[in-house]
Amino acid sequence: MDIIDLIDRTRDSISARSVFGQPIQQGEVTVIPVARVMGGGGGGGGEGPVPEANSREGMGHGEGTGFGLSARPAGAFVIRGDRVSWLPVVEPTRIILGLQVLAGIALLVHSLTRQRGH
């Protein structure tokens, strides 16, 4: 796979098609699922002779590619008649992590204020 092919595949993978799902219709309500999509690619190259300091004989060559894609649900657009509303995804693990960080900060502040009081 060459670099141009990798860039083309990356661009094709990160598009509106991967962010917005197929609309789901039930009665007069239409729901369009939405995801948060991130991605990236990498490349490489090389050629030329192996440097003289290297004990291996031969001609140099190199290549490399990489690709990553992450998709997480973000929410859904709900369409009822001529009204559109947004329903975000609630992620309990992120809420719990945020509460833990706040509790840690509160304990640290409490500890520091107690030390100054003595």
Side-chain angles (χ1 to χ4, degrees), residues 98-118:
L99 291 173
Q100 289 173 338
V101 168
L102 284 175
I105 291 170
L107 287 172
L108 181 63
V109 168
H110 178 71
S111 171
L112 291 174
T113 56
R114 285 191 69 202
Q115 287 178 356
R116 288 187 180 159
H118 289 291

Side-chain angles (χ1 to χ4, degrees), residues 11-55:
R11 186 180 51 237
D12 291 343
S13 296
I14 305 169
S15 67
R17 290 187 311 268
S18 49
V19 174
F20 296 99
Q22 292 295 319
I24 303 162
Q25 189 164 5
Q26 180 131 11
E28 294 183 17
V29 177
T30 302
V31 177
I32 302 172
V34 180
R36 195 168 282 154
V37 179
M38 295 181 292
E47 270 194 57
V50 175
E52 291 181 22
N54 192 335
S55 62

Side-chain angles (χ1 to χ4, degrees), residues 7 10 13 17 24 27 43 45 50 62 66 70 74 79-80 90-91 94 107 116:
I7 292 170
T10 303
S13 296
R17 290 187 311 268
I24 303 162
V50 175
S70 170
I79 304 168
R80 287 188 178 106
V90 176
E91 297 181 59
R94 292 185 91 170
L107 287 172
R116 288 187 180 159

